Amino acid sequence: MSFGKMNTFIDIISTVPIKDEEGFVTKGDNILASVRAYKEDRHGSERWTNMASFSTASSLFRFRKIPELKVTNEMIIVCEDGRYETLSAEDVRSRGMYVEVLTEKIKPTVR
């Protein structure tokens, strides 16, 4: 994977509880890493068809493995297109060079 294809800047964040002055707890963002990534949205290719177990996945992100950071399902990926919930993260070909993350776009709720 060349840097030419990694043209999407992403933040890998975890949500942490933050207490305000009045003692109420809200969820806040803690940025763990900011990296360049390759982003592929869901389309009708044979590869996406074979990923039937992840029918809710809407995007795939691939980026270089970050030392001492294990990407888990509790993390969220943020890019210019919006926020994405992590469904699955795995090492590409078990070589320890790249991480491939299947995500689902988080849609804002209307109150």
Side-chain angles (χ1 to χ4, degrees):
M1 174 96 18
S2 66
F3 277 122
K5 289 188 174 185
M6 293 186 171
N7 55 8
T8 304
F9 291 97
I10 64 169
D11 291 329
I12 302 170
I13 64 171
S14 66
T15 56
V16 294
I18 297 175
K19 212 179 254 192
D20 61 7
E21 308 87 39
E22 298 172 358
F24 293 103
V25 178
T26 59
K27 288 187 179 181
D29 293 341
N30 180 23
I31 298 176
L32 302 173
S34 296
V35 295
R36 290 170 57 152
Y38 166 73
K39 180 182 180 225
E40 181 180 311
D41 289 322
R42 183 178 193 130
H43 50 80
S45 71
E46 182 178 339
R47 181 161 190 241
W48 278 97
T49 306
N50 291 336
M51 289 191 255
S53 62
F54 294 104
S55 60
T56 62
S58 59
S59 294
L60 174 138
F61 290 92
R62 191 175 301 133
F63 51 88
R64 287 197 178 264
K65 185 173 182 177
I66 302 162
E68 300 170 7
L69 178 67
K70 182 168 174 24
V71 180
T72 62
N73 292 356
E74 290 83 32
M75 295 179 183
I76 295 173
I77 294 180
V78 179
C79 67
E80 63 186 13
D81 296 336
R83 297 170 70 94
Y84 293 85
E85 179 182 0
T86 304
L87 299 175
S88 167
E90 65 180 47
D91 188 7
V92 176
R93 297 186 183 164
S94 301
R95 291 187 179 171
M97 294 178 61
Y98 295 97
V99 177
E100 185 175 87
V101 181
L102 287 172
T103 61
E104 179 180 9
K105 187 161 185 163
I106 299 173
K107 297 179 178 77
T109 58
V110 179
R111 294 185 178 181

